[in-house]
């Protein structure tokens, strides 16, 4: 089949129109990854938005100028209406990216999704081997199912991206993950070092890699980029705690993207609910454009006026927008502080030392992601 090329994003002005939406259709997922970016309080099926509301949100997205819809979760194929929602996106001229574990209903649904106009698939892998992948995902047989799913995707002619979240439990497999991406005919690979929000923050001591291992993984990616030019594009996200400058999280708060949770709250980033006292509006009550322009949560950290020193007078302030608000909240206790990932933050040295200490200590068991579970309770660090 022919596949459409993604529209090329244009730089958005500070309060322009968004270019992408992350539609978190559900928090349900067969996997239990200990670094999941979903919140600790996962939403249940009964509270999820219905099909008609999602369709309205997707139509409003197109009207707002959004180009890309990321159909995500949890595992989005857990929703039986995913084919209908994908067809609706295609009818609205939206480019659709399915972000999936490849497990559960994914394999049985991919033909219909392709038929409905799905543009792209992003498949997660937890490691290069079944032993590593199944242990990290907490799901026996998961890795083999992913490989089978990947083959179906490329057989259909759909472009495939592999996404591998990297941490101390799989950093030794980076080279093999690159080889796996080539073998599976992926066009793109994301080697994404863990970002410590949600479940990853709770599991940080179990996930934090040692600096020499991080440096080695960076060198491996750089070498592979040269060797595989024209075959595989490799994106890399380096670990914040060892960085010199922070990333422009979500492309800048309220600047390019928005997230809609399974129950309809609209967030500037996936972890925004970890910041206390922000007021989030819901698509159940308001139109998406109204929320984008006027929601107190979106306007809280838009642009640069909210910044304090050292960001306020820094010449990188419109490059990284002060880094990540959620990380500033988690590590400095103040969402308006400079992201401690920045070497200019007064908290940076402490954060780097913390990472080094955690990486040197014996890794605790994973606290696996679970709906309705108590994040304080450790489960076995093995697949069950
Ligand atoms: Fe970015 Fe602020 Fe650090 Fe400057 S001080 S590099 S704006 S986070
Ligand atoms: Fe919320 Fe970075 S995850 S601003």
């Amino acid at each position: 089949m022919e596949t459409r090329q993604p529209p090329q994003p244009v730089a958005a002005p500070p309060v322009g129109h968004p270019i992408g939406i992350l539609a978190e259709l559900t928090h349900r997922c067969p996997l239990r990854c200990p670094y999941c970016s979903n919140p600790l309080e996962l939403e249940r099926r009964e509270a999820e938005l219905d099909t008609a509301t999602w369709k309205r949100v997707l139509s409003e997205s197109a009207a707002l100028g959004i180009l890309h819809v990321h159909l995500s979760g949890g595992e989005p194929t857990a929703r039986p209406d995913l084919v209908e929602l994908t067809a609706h996106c295609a009818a609205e001229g939206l480019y659709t990216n399915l972000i999936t574990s490849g497990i559960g209903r994914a394999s049985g649904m991919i033909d219909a999704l392709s038929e409905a106009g799905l543009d792209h698939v992003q498949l997660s892998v937890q490691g290069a081997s079944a032993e590593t992948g199944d242990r990290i995902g907490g799901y026996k047989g998961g890795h083999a199912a992913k490989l089978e799913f990947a083959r179906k995707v490329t057989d259909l002619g759909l472009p495939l991206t592999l996404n591998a979240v990297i941490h101390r439990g799989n950093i030794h497999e980076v080279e093999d993950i690159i080889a796996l991406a080539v073998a599976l005919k992926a066009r793109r690979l994301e080697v994404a070092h863990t970002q410590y929000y949600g479940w990853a923050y709770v599991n940080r001591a179990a996930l934090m890699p040692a600096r020499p291992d991080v440096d080695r993984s960076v060198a491996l990616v750089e070498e592979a980029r040269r060797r595989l030019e024209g075959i595989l594009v490799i994106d890399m996200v380096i670990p914040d705690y060892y960085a010199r400058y922070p990333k422009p999280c979500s492309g800048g708060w309220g600047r390019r993207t928005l997230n809609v949770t399974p129950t309809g709250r609209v967030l500037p980033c996936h972890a925004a609910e970890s910041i206390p006292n922000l007021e989030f509006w819901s698509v159940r009550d308001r139109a998406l454009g109204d929320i984008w322009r006027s929601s107190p949560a979106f306007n809280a950290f838009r642009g640069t006026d909210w910044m304090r020193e050292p960001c306020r007078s820094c010449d990188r302030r419109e490059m990284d927008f002060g880094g990540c608000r959620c990380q500033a909240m988690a590590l400095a206790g103040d969402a308006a502080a400079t992201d401690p990932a920045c070497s200019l933050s007064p908290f940076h040295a402490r954060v780097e030392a913390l990472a080094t200490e955690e990486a040197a200590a014996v890794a605790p068991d994973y606290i696996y992601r679970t709906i309705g579970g108590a994040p304080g309770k450790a489960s076995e660090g093995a697949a069950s």
Side-chain angles (χ1 to χ4, degrees):
M1 63 170 284
E2 277 191 22
T3 54
R4 287 188 284 156
Q5 289 304 306
Q8 293 308 302
V10 288
V15 191
H17 64 79
I19 57 173
I21 182 169
L22 185 77
E24 291 181 351
L25 299 173
T26 180
H27 280 160
R28 289 174 282 142
C29 183
L31 292 190
R32 302 187 291 137
C33 305
Y35 52 74
C36 182
S37 63
N38 286 162
L40 300 181
E41 292 292 329
L42 295 163
E43 308 282 8
R44 294 178 181 276
R45 178 204 302 250
E46 311 79 70
E48 291 174 5
L49 294 179
D50 61 17
T51 310
T53 309
W54 272 118
K55 281 183 166 177
R56 170 175 61 79
V57 170
L58 294 164
S59 295
E60 289 173 354
S61 300
L64 202 50
I66 283 174
L67 304 172
H68 299 163
V69 176
H70 304 280
L71 299 163
S72 180
E75 171 49 51
T77 59
R79 290 221 22 159
D81 58 358
L82 183 62
V83 174
E84 188 177 345
L85 295 177
T86 302
H88 187 76
C89 288
E92 292 284 2
L94 293 161
Y95 184 92
T96 43
N97 174 31
L98 176 69
I99 300 178
T100 179
S101 67
I103 299 185
R105 294 198 185 119
S107 257
M109 210 185 253
I110 192 64
D111 288 282
L113 288 169
S114 175
E115 195 65 30
L118 181 68
D119 289 302
H120 181 270
V121 176
Q122 179 181 315
L123 172 66
S124 65
V125 289
Q126 281 64 35
S129 65
E131 187 192 350
T132 304
D134 290 0
R135 180 173 57 80
I136 294 166
Y139 188 95
K140 261 189 191 143
H143 187 76
K146 283 168 184 282
L147 302 192
E148 189 197 323
F149 175 77
R151 288 185 191 109
K152 280 194 175 177
V153 169
T154 50
D155 283 352
L156 285 165
L158 283 165
L160 173 69
T161 292
L162 282 199
N163 171 278
V165 174
I166 303 299
H167 47 82
R168 78 195 275 188
N170 64 6
I171 198 164
H172 58 287
E173 290 191 357
V174 165
E175 201 167 7
D176 294 337
I177 289 170
I178 294 168
L180 180 66
V182 174
L184 291 174
K185 301 193 183 94
R187 294 189 191 174
R188 186 175 283 269
L189 169 66
E190 294 174 355
V191 177
H193 276 273
T194 306
Q195 306 291 297
Y196 294 97
Y197 318 111
W199 292 85
Y201 188 74
V202 173
N203 280 296
R204 193 181 61 197
L207 298 170
M208 185 64 71
R211 178 127 208 182
D213 292 335
V214 171
D215 292 345
R216 186 171 164 272
S217 73
V218 172
L220 280 170
V221 167
E222 282 170 359
E223 181 279 322
R225 276 179 176 152
R226 288 191 290 275
R227 178 168 45 87
L228 298 170
E229 196 178 342
I231 299 170
L232 180 71
V233 175
I234 309 179
D235 296 324
M236 181 153 199
V237 178
I238 63 158
D240 279 342
Y241 287 39
Y242 294 127
R244 184 163 174 220
Y245 295 118
K247 60 187 178 300
C249 198
S250 305
W253 184 278
R255 196 169 162 270
R256 300 164 72 91
T257 62
L258 41 77
N259 288 19
V260 181
T261 71
T263 57
R265 286 186 308 286
V266 187
L267 317 179
C269 69
H270 56 84
E273 288 172 297
S274 64
I275 300 176
N277 305 321
L278 283 184
E279 184 185 334
F280 300 105
W281 289 357
S282 170
V283 294
R284 292 187 198 271
D285 312 317
R286 297 172 195 263
L288 198 66
D290 184 24
I291 298 173
W292 172 253
R293 287 183 292 272
S294 307
S295 152
F298 275 83
N299 285 325
F301 302 110
R302 242 185 192 135
T304 55
D305 287 353
W306 57 272
M307 287 180 177
R308 305 198 196 120
E309 295 297 347
C311 293
R312 179 174 279 276
S313 57
C314 179
D315 59 9
R316 293 179 61 90
R317 67 185 179 282
E318 296 207 0
M319 294 164 68
D320 62 33
F321 299 93
C324 175
R325 297 307 87 227
C326 302
Q327 191 149 266
M329 185 69 230
L331 297 176
D334 178 1
T338 295
D339 183 345
C342 178
S343 53
L344 302 173
S345 159
F347 293 93
H348 184 71
R350 208 186 301 168
V351 165
E352 214 175 344
L354 188 81
T356 306
E357 273 167 38
E358 287 184 342
V362 175
D365 287 339
Y366 295 144
I367 298 167
Y368 281 105
R369 170 204 201 272
T370 173
I371 290 187
K377 188 168 166 283
S379 36
E380 298 270 309
S384 60

